[in-house]
Amino acid sequence: MLKPSLIAKTDAKANENQIFTAYGLRITYLSPRLIRVEREWNTTDLASFAVWFRKAEAGKLTVTPVKKGVDVETEEVIFNIRSGKPYSVYFKDTKKTAVFSKQKNLGGTTRTLDETVGKVRLDDGLITEDGAYLFDDSSSMLIDGDGRFVPREHGSTDYYAFAYGRDYRETIRAFYKISSPVPIVPRFALGVWWSRYHAYTQKEYLDLMARFKKENIPLTVATVDMDWHWVHGLREKFGSDYRGWTGYSWNTELFPDYREFLKKLKEDNLHVTLNLHPADGVHFYEDMYKEMAEAVGIDPKTKKTVKFRCGSDDFWNAYFDILHKPYEKDGVDFWWIDWQQGKRSDVKGLDPLNALNHYHFLDNAEDGRMPMILSRYAGIGAHRYPLGFSGDTETSWRVLDFQPYFTATANNAAYSWWSHDIGGHHHGYRDDDLYMRWVQFGVFSPIMRLHSTAIELLGKEPWKYRGEVYRCACEWLRLRHRMIPYIYTMDRRTHAEGIALCEPMYYSHPDEAEAYGVSNQYIFGSELTVCPITSPQHPELNLGSVEVWLPEGRYTDIFTKRSYRGGRKITMFRELETIPVLARDGAIIPLSADTGNRTDNPESLEIWAVSGNGSFTLVEDNGKTDCEEHTAKTKFDISYNDGKLTFTVCAAEGDLSVIPVKRNFTVKVIDLEKDGEALVLEAKGADVGIDTVLTAEGVTGIQPPDVREDAICLLSRWQATTKVKHASFKPFEKARTVEDFEKALKTAILPKPVFLALSELLETHK
């Protein structure tokens, strides 16, 4: 038998009153807009890899025979089933019909980006433009009551018909309800990771961590790639002809005292993960070979390899208890499963990646810790095992340009936690600007993991780039660490409400055509819209640009502090030091103001806010699997009217033992000033158990420079001959107002980037 921690808790059998069996079909009511359809003679009540829960409150379900099939009517839709398969759906509210087809699918994600050089084709997701999706679960593995993966009977059909229209979030929520929620990702994982495929020595790695500390770059995860174990020279050392990909014994030549190594990392508040390639099993020279061999019934004297076997309970139990648990007790927090060896195993139809992700995640939850792995995507249902490792990509603008779209679109497959090799893994071309733009995207992506291959000159340490990039990258990495309170709150929201940290724009604006046309722009939590710059600087201005669509409303860039009217598309230009990150009116973004790299709930908070009326509830907990019982929530409110701003830190609710008794609050209202100075409100040593009210009167919006001065500064940086610039400026010579400049812009002869940049600048003056 599998040990109890490896047996998933599923509840896959529907209630009898949810099921209608007739006309050769078994139809299960799951919601007014979701049904399951099976052939009557080949059904199952076991959980599948994707679907674990089918019990639901039964509702109206009427099945009517028609030519070549049946119509299934619920309270809200009519499913048209033809030849045993859902074909189309009629929406009662909109009186429209949608066909279950792949033509309007908005894309999902894919197993890996290994060796890719740009865009790749994505597998289908659960989201279509017309809101009807048919999920075919017929070929996925089943999970029996003892926790084992078992194949389906030949010829089985298992369809789930989703019909939520353009309520895309509700489609994803409906899937989570039958599959399971997205687990909470541990707080420490939301900071900055160091990772590199490189044969570090123990001293080299610790020295590198010390350098990051000296640079005041707060790392939270230390990754050691495959060279932590024996890889090279196996014949000389052990008389073995095996490849070195798989290994479980520390390389004592590189790490003479691995326990001391792990202890030092833990003393510096670093969480540790080690790389695994399990395919080749356990060889005779491994430290744990004797114990592993005996556990699976092999005589150790034979030196017979303990094969990697997905179908053996004894193997899985020993795999974790003998190979991994001892290292976890020494300080390894979680495992990086680097499976690249195909989709076949000793269990018919079982992809080893599915089994590894499943069992590793379950095992990592032992001892009450919040579980996590780093691994590749294994299909619909893989959201249950965060985090995703997207693989080894080329270092190029093409790859960077694809990743924002790839990351947000993965939510269509209910997969919200991708981790990329920030900066690119290998090949490509050295470009400091590219590195900077990649870091900026990484800071505003689910996981910020610097990574590269072993080539000595490809390291992603910020100090290996030119001066201004080095200094800027350090600031951005510090910002990521400070953002943990905001990101963790969104992490908890993902688990509780099924709303991903990164979402495509069309999730919030499904009926706006423009929302589908800004593929690299995405929502980042409840407060921000992020528009990464993923192309080289324009040589005319030495500025990068990105096309941005803003919904109705007013938006303020949290870095430039300039505001924009919504309801339009704008090309935004930025220095290399920044990208457009836009906050709506009333937005509140809590940041940590503590020093160092700890990820505890902070004693000091710095809160960025935008004037208006809004609120935000900060969620903090004890960081363990029982966090729901040990959660504290602190609500922030902002209101602004007639020059008076009020910011309230409401009394915290819940388990206040998980947060400091007293806290320091610094509130920076990024679009307001008083007496010409940026508006900052402070409360030192505030009692978290009572309301703290901060007010300011006589405040005004931050005014941009005089429009003429602003425009001249922009046009001055245009890289061109004096003759050309002088001639092009003539239409603007008498311009003094925004209207003057807009009128002159219609007749001026300017390169397109200069024209667009000046247009954006004028927009911020309106």
Side-chain angles (χ1 to χ4, degrees):
M1 297 288 292
L2 289 170
K3 62 177 183 171
S5 62
L6 299 184
I7 301 175
K9 295 176 175 60
T10 64
D11 191 7
K13 186 175 181 179
N15 297 315
E16 288 301 321
N17 61 357
Q18 293 174 244
I19 299 172
F20 186 98
T21 303
Y23 312 111
L25 301 174
R26 184 171 84 158
I27 300 166
T28 305
Y29 177 102
L30 297 169
S31 88
R33 291 176 179 261
L34 173 61
I35 62 170
R36 182 191 192 199
V37 179
E38 302 167 276
R39 298 283 188 182
E40 185 179 1
W41 56 85
N42 196 344
T43 65
T44 183
D45 290 321
L46 293 179
S48 71
F49 179 76
V51 178
W52 284 14
F53 306 101
R54 300 192 187 99
K55 280 186 169 61
E57 185 177 340
K60 176 185 175 183
L61 185 71
T62 303
V63 181
T64 305
V66 296
K67 186 177 181 181
K68 295 185 178 180
V70 296
D71 286 344
V72 178
E73 183 173 358
T74 72
E75 303 95 313
E76 299 179 21
V77 298
I78 301 174
F79 294 97
N80 312 125
I81 300 175
R82 303 294 180 264
S83 301
K85 180 178 180 179
Y87 172 74
S88 63
V89 60
Y90 174 77
F91 296 96
K92 295 181 180 179
D93 53 352
T94 62
K95 296 181 173 53
K96 292 182 179 180
T97 299
V99 175
F100 291 112
S101 72
K102 295 186 176 184
Q103 293 180 355
K104 295 186 177 181
N105 196 282
L106 291 172
T109 192
T110 192
R111 186 180 180 106
T112 180
L113 296 180
D114 267 340
E115 301 299 326
T116 59
V117 296
K119 294 181 180 180
V120 301
R121 186 187 179 281
L122 301 179
D123 299 336
D124 285 344
L126 305 172
I127 303 298
T128 63
E129 284 188 51
D130 53 14
Y133 179 72
L134 186 65
F135 173 49
D136 185 355
D137 199 32
S138 305
S139 59
S140 71
M141 296 293 289
L142 301 175
I143 301 174
D144 68 17
D146 294 321
R148 302 184 186 95
F149 286 93
V150 293
R152 291 176 182 264
E153 293 183 14
H154 179 71
S156 64
T157 58
D158 196 355
Y159 297 108
Y160 292 82
F162 292 79
Y164 287 88
R166 286 194 164 184
D167 192 342
Y168 300 141
R169 284 181 180 147
E170 199 56 39
T171 300
I172 300 301
R173 287 192 189 103
F175 174 72
Y176 289 147
K177 190 171 182 179
I178 63 173
S179 183
S180 71
V182 182
I184 301 168
V185 172
R187 191 178 177 97
F188 68 78
L190 306 178
V192 180
W193 298 34
W194 176 255
S195 177
R196 188 180 176 197
Y197 175 41
H198 180 73
Y200 287 106
T201 66
Q202 181 167 330
K203 183 178 185 304
E204 283 175 336
Y205 202 99
L206 293 175
D207 286 349
L208 177 61
M209 296 299 99
R211 174 68 187 271
F212 273 103
K213 188 174 182 179
K214 182 180 177 182
E215 296 283 346
N216 191 26
I217 300 173
L219 301 179
T220 62
V221 177
T223 304
V224 188
D225 213 311
M226 61 182 292
D227 285 285
W228 68 270
H229 62 73
W230 298 106
V231 174
H232 303 291
L234 299 180
R235 171 175 286 279
E236 293 77 9
K237 292 181 181 68
F238 309 112
S240 169
D241 290 328
Y242 295 119
R243 303 176 301 170
W245 282 93
T246 300
Y248 299 99
S249 308
W250 280 84
N251 182 333
T252 53
E253 292 178 358
L254 297 177
F255 298 90
D257 188 346
Y258 80 83
R259 290 186 177 88
E260 179 66 15
F261 171 68
L262 295 174
K263 180 173 176 285
K264 291 289 187 183
L265 293 177
K266 305 301 281 187
E267 287 174 352
D268 278 336
N269 306 316
L270 288 159
H271 295 76
V272 183
T273 183
L274 304 180
N275 178 279
L276 295 175
H277 292 86
D280 290 342
V282 183
H283 301 308
F284 68 88
Y285 55 80
E286 300 285 6
D287 296 344
M288 313 86 160
Y289 173 73
K290 181 177 183 297
E291 193 175 356
M292 275 294 294
E294 290 174 346
V296 299
I298 294 175
D299 182 354
K301 295 178 182 178
T302 66
K303 295 186 177 183
K304 185 178 179 181
T305 297
V306 178
K307 292 184 178 181
F308 175 76
R309 294 184 59 200
C310 290
S312 167
D313 295 348
D314 289 340
F315 174 82
W316 281 120
N317 292 338
Y319 174 81
F320 290 110
D321 289 345
I322 296 173
L323 298 181
H324 297 87
K325 285 298 175 202
Y327 291 150
E328 291 175 15
K329 291 177 181 177
D330 292 332
V332 177
D333 293 280
F334 65 101
W335 300 89
W336 172 11
I337 305 157
D338 203 354
W339 181 267
Q340 303 174 66
Q341 288 78 28
K343 298 183 179 182
R344 294 185 178 181
S345 71
D346 56 302
V347 178
K348 183 180 179 181
L350 177 60
D351 184 336
L353 180 61
N354 294 54
L356 282 164
N357 290 355
H358 177 78
Y359 291 130
H360 260 284
F361 191 83
L362 292 173
D363 184 73
N364 198 239
E366 283 191 352
D367 304 323
R369 61 179 162 183
M370 208 171 273
M372 188 175 74
I373 60 173
L374 182 66
S375 187
R376 285 172 169 80
Y377 172 76
I380 298 292
H383 71 280
R384 207 180 288 115
Y385 318 107
L387 305 159
F389 158 55
S390 65
D392 302 341
T393 54
E394 178 186 75
T395 305
S396 71
W397 287 102
R398 291 176 299 179
V399 171
L400 171 59
D401 186 54
F402 181 62
Q403 285 191 353
Y405 165 78
F406 176 82
T407 304
T409 303
N411 194 54
N412 293 346
Y415 199 72
S416 54
W417 288 106
W418 270 121
S419 168
H420 304 299
D421 289 2
I422 297 300
H425 182 77
H426 54 192
H427 307 321
Y429 182 81
R430 168 65 178 240
D431 187 328
D432 287 20
D433 290 7
L434 170 62
Y435 169 77
M436 189 64 251
R437 295 303 189 194
W438 221 318
V439 166
Q440 290 164 344
F441 163 64
V443 167
F444 285 96
S445 66
I447 300 297
M448 173 65 217
R449 181 176 55 86
L450 296 165
H451 186 75
S452 65
T453 192
I455 296 174
E456 194 61 51
L457 302 182
L458 292 185
K460 296 303 186 293
E461 299 91 334
W463 51 87
K464 292 184 177 178
Y465 295 82
R466 71 174 189 266
E468 69 270 28
V469 170
Y470 159 37
R471 291 184 290 273
C472 184
C474 290
E475 288 299 320
W476 275 81
L477 295 174
R478 293 175 194 128
L479 173 63
R480 173 66 186 213
H481 187 81
R482 296 180 65 207
M483 289 175 64
I484 290 176
Y486 175 75
I487 298 173
Y488 188 71
T489 298
M490 296 302 108
D491 178 6
R492 288 290 305 266
R493 184 181 73 154
T494 299
H495 172 73
E497 302 177 32
I499 303 175
L501 172 65
C502 296
E503 286 185 328
M505 292 300 294
Y506 50 78
Y507 270 53
S508 290
H509 308 279
D511 296 322
E512 300 276 359
E514 293 87 347
Y516 298 82
V518 281
S519 58
N520 274 11
Q521 176 183 331
Y522 53 91
I523 299 162
F524 191 77
S526 60
E527 310 299 292
L528 300 172
T529 298
V530 178
C531 313
I533 293 175
T534 58
S535 58
Q537 307 274 87
H538 294 283
E540 297 93 337
L541 292 166
N542 288 320
L543 295 173
S545 71
V546 57
E547 187 177 56
V548 176
W549 172 70
L550 295 177
E552 293 292 338
R554 187 182 79 110
Y555 298 84
T556 300
D557 189 313
I558 65 173
F559 298 122
T560 68
K561 302 183 179 181
R562 295 202 177 195
S563 299
Y564 300 83
R565 296 176 302 147
R568 67 195 65 219
K569 273 190 175 182
I570 308 170
T571 301
M572 294 187 179
F573 288 76
R574 294 294 184 271
E575 301 278 3
L576 185 62
E577 291 81 5
T578 187
I579 59 173
V581 178
L582 304 156
R584 55 173 175 75
D585 281 1
I588 298 172
I589 306 106
L591 309 175
S592 171
D594 286 0
T595 58
N597 70 336
R598 298 189 68 88
T599 57
D600 302 3
N601 300 323
E603 293 184 3
S604 298
L605 287 168
E606 180 175 295
I607 301 163
W608 293 358
V610 179
S611 64
N613 298 313
S615 64
F616 182 93
T617 300
L618 176 69
V619 180
E620 300 167 288
D621 56 42
N622 66 349
K624 297 183 181 296
T625 52
D626 63 353
C627 65
E628 300 285 2
E629 304 164 29
H630 299 284
T631 293
K633 295 183 178 181
T634 307
K635 184 181 179 185
F636 305 118
D637 286 321
I638 187 172
S639 63
Y640 176 62
N641 189 39
D642 292 334
K644 180 179 179 179
L645 181 128
T646 302
F647 191 95
T648 304
V649 181
C650 300
E653 298 179 349
D655 184 356
L656 303 194
S657 70
V658 304
I659 60 176
V661 174
K662 293 185 180 295
R663 269 182 157 163
N664 302 317
F665 296 98
T666 301
V667 180
K668 296 185 176 181
V669 187
I670 62 177
D671 63 330
L672 294 181
E673 61 185 16
K674 183 175 182 179
D675 301 327
E677 299 291 332
L679 182 60
V680 179
L681 306 174
E682 291 186 293
K684 301 292 186 182
D687 188 333
V688 300
I690 60 175
D691 290 357
T692 298
V693 181
L694 305 171
T695 62
E697 297 189 29
V699 298
T700 60
I702 292 178
Q703 297 299 311
D706 175 79
V707 65
R708 180 174 174 82
E709 178 186 346
D710 222 9
I712 288 176
C713 285
L714 174 65
L715 292 169
S716 294
R717 67 182 296 158
W718 173 20
Q719 309 290 295
T721 66
T722 301
K723 181 178 180 181
V724 168
K725 292 182 69 171
H726 181 67
S728 298
F729 187 68
K730 285 188 178 298
F732 301 104
E733 285 181 338
K734 296 181 180 180
R736 295 294 183 273
T737 66
V738 173
E739 292 74 18
D740 292 342
F741 274 95
E742 287 185 325
K743 184 177 179 180
L745 193 57
K746 293 178 180 178
T747 60
I749 300 175
L750 298 170
K752 185 176 180 180
V754 179
F755 174 87
L756 292 174
L758 186 55
S759 299
E760 182 210 355
L761 181 145
L762 297 176
E763 184 65 33
T764 67
H765 282 267
K766 292 180 179 178

